[in-house]
Amino acid sequence: MRDRLARLVEQMTLAGKRRWDDTAAEPFSATIAVLRADHPMPADTDTDALAAISEIFALEAVELDLLTVAASVELDPNFGLAFALLQGNPNAARPTVALALELCDVPIMSAAGRARLSPSAPLRRYGLLDVDGSEPAPRRPLRVADRVVAHLLGDDSYDPAVAAMRLDLGAVGELADLPVARVLSAAIERGEPLAWVHARPGTIGIALAAAAFGALDIAALVVDLRRCPADVALDDALRGAGREAALQRRGLVLAGAELLAEEGAAWLTRRLLDVAVPVIAVADAPWRAAWLDFLPVSVTAPASSAELRDLLWRASVRDAPVDDPVWPDVVNLRLTPEQIAQAGRFVTRTADGAPVSVAALLSAARRVGSTRGTGARAAKPSASLDDLVLPDATLESIRQLISWARRRDSVLAANPRLVAGGKGRGVSALFAGASGTGKTLAAHVVADTLNLDLYQVELPTVIDKYIGETEKNLQRVFQEAENLNAVLFFDEADSLFGARSEVRDSRDRYANIEVAYLLQRMEQFDGIAILATNLRGNLDVAFSRRLQFIVHFPDPDEPTRRHLWLRHLQGFEPLDADDPVDVDQLARTVELAGGDIRNIVMAAAYAAADDGRPIGMRHLTTAVERELRKLGRRVPPPGH
């Protein structure tokens, strides 16, 4: 760099002689003397950062000279003083287009010279410098990007916008041998400038792209455009990411690339070819031929397997508790490699040298795997099969559902044809029965027995009056449940999964579209879904084929009601001996569901607390009458 600055001083000296005689040039001559002393011509041409930039961005000699002129003022303020004197403007510290071309011995009136500073030329296309202002072209000042100046000074800290978007994936070498990774590596090796990875949410597309570079011993800079700061334009973010990757001699993995092709930003897609290093773009949309005349190599990212997630967890967490019986629950959480790396870093940091527990891993995994505003509320269930009071046939169906959920990965791995044609690997069930018969409790029991969170869909936050928004909200709900391997629970499912109707107006049409979307998404679902409804007949009949289990929750018979009374009263023993509770009479005469019986016992407990006595039959009788009136049922006369 010293030799280039020294030669620039000599060029500036010649430019000054063309402007003034020796007397008039005194202030300029004094400045040149200082610059000549500070930047002497070295004995040999030195290898410097500017030469490296020229190699990385394939700059020609004239382009490198222009960059030297523009950068000099950022390196030494005396260059700015000399430029101001040469341009006859004390405020013009940056060189103009005209001055820069003159100092590089390029005619100002030449088309070739102007072309070196056009928006499509390497200097501007790669984000090395900009031409500011709206004045006539020769008078516009040149400005070198701050990140380039820092690189010239030996500072390779990330550009702030790139740092905000950067992802740290951890170890991804285990993915390099996957067939899709080899396809990407081959494309990079033969010089393809762009490859496209279609990665549905929850798949391993980002890590797959980084692994493809790693297989060629090329480090990857991974950025996510969805993290672009609000005050940074997407165009600037993309250009900055490409410049950063080139300065660090890395390949560029661009996650969130679907943002480049959204309505109003489709023109940005061509910027993917304006990067000096190979780019692998990762998007949740497939490549569309209309975006560019250039057709990139395109692959579809697979979901991660349990075996791969196990390897990634072991690589991310030193001395991972793999012998813990609950370790498979960690592996079964369907996180992406980058989420596993993030959770691993968190638990390692917070453990502060102590052994990492499975509980800490599960907690961190659920935090990184969840998304904001999904429309589902997560709950850690605390119920077991012993809490269910149901007929034997219903209990057996629930046990079978739990068994399927536990064995699905091994069964489907043995016969992949079962999930051919885009069908999901999930397990889904319908719980049908009257209100209070135990459907919600049974969903909690399923989740608790599998040691999973229960994600209950909150309909007010999912259903949207604007067309298409309901489907987007549901997609986020389904995806989060798949990622965290949670049990997805739709209560009052008939409000979402209702039967399609004859189309009489636009409202019918869009309602049918929502149901059709749910039918499709349920078939592709890779998790565990439970639908609960009081009105099975209101559900679209097409859902029956997509449900592996339809579990009927009948109204309890007399023996079941007796068991329910005993179960709910058990926590309030001893009961009032002076007013003994006749459980047999309650079971025989009070024909209500388990939820109603629970409400009665709770009301009786509060009444007994007011009396300062244990629960007696009088409290239960009063509570039964209150519950019947609340339900609009006839209250039997006394003694019945």
Side-chain angles (χ1 to χ4, degrees), residues 160-476:
V162 176
M165 297 186 294
R166 180 174 171 265
L167 296 178
D168 185 357
L169 301 186
V172 295
E174 293 83 356
L175 307 177
D177 289 331
L178 292 177
V180 283
R182 290 199 295 268
V183 170
L184 294 173
S185 296
I188 297 165
E189 196 168 26
R190 65 174 175 265
E192 294 280 350
L194 173 65
W196 189 268
V197 179
H198 175 208
R200 288 177 55 200
T203 56
I204 60 173
I206 300 174
L208 189 75
F213 279 117
L216 301 174
D217 292 326
I218 301 173
L221 172 64
V222 184
V223 297
D224 190 342
L225 291 176
R226 292 164 296 197
R227 291 182 163 189
C228 180
D231 60 343
V232 177
L234 203 57
D235 185 18
D236 293 336
L238 176 56
R239 189 168 61 164
R243 180 181 61 214
E244 189 70 47
L247 290 174
Q248 298 196 26
R249 296 178 180 266
R250 297 183 174 213
L252 177 61
V253 176
L254 199 66
E258 67 276 358
L259 296 180
L260 300 179
E262 286 185 350
E263 184 179 357
W267 62 274
L268 275 172
T269 310
R270 71 172 183 266
R271 298 281 192 187
L272 294 173
L273 300 180
D274 290 341
V275 179
V277 296
V279 178
I280 301 180
V282 184
D284 66 4
W287 177 264
R288 297 177 187 171
W291 288 342
L292 279 177
D293 291 337
F294 175 83
L295 189 64
V297 171
S298 183
V299 300
T300 300
S304 62
S305 65
E307 293 77 9
L308 175 60
R309 292 194 297 271
D310 183 83
L311 289 173
L312 293 172
W313 275 115
R314 292 170 188 257
S316 299
V317 181
R318 180 187 294 180
D319 299 326
V322 296
D323 295 329
D324 192 295
V326 190
W327 174 253
D329 292 337
V330 176
V331 174
N332 285 336
L333 295 177
R334 300 185 176 190
L335 302 186
T336 61
E338 54 270 24
Q339 289 172 328
I340 290 174
Q342 184 181 2
R345 289 193 299 271
F346 174 77
V347 296
T348 300
R349 184 178 75 248
T350 54
D352 198 22
V356 174
S357 67
V358 167
L361 286 175
L362 284 170
S363 175
R366 288 180 176 122
R367 286 181 62 188
V368 301
S370 62
T371 57
R372 300 176 64 182
T374 59
R377 174 170 49 87
K380 185 61 183 173
S382 57
S384 68
L385 283 165
D386 293 337
D387 294 315
L388 292 178
V389 181
L390 295 168
D392 291 341
T394 304
L395 279 173
E396 181 56 32
S397 295
I398 293 172
R399 290 191 182 98
Q400 194 176 21
L401 167 62
I402 293 169
S403 176
W404 277 42
R406 282 174 171 161
R407 311 295 180 192
R408 60 180 172 138
D409 284 340
S410 59
V411 170
L412 296 177
N415 188 357
R417 292 186 181 88
L418 295 174
V419 290
K423 295 185 183 297
R425 303 163 59 91
V427 177
S428 55
L430 173 67
F431 289 177
S435 178
T437 51
K439 301 184 297 297
T440 301
L441 177 60
H444 280 263
V445 167
V446 170
D448 183 78
T449 306
L450 295 170
N451 196 28
L452 301 177
D453 280 345
L454 182 77
Y455 268 49
Q456 183 164 344
V457 178
E458 297 180 328
L459 296 180
T461 60
V462 169
I463 298 175
D464 198 294
K465 65 180 180 180
Y466 294 106
I467 295 170
E469 290 302 312
T470 298
E471 290 87 338
K472 290 180 182 179
N473 294 337
L474 285 168
Q475 169 62 14
R476 288 192 289 268

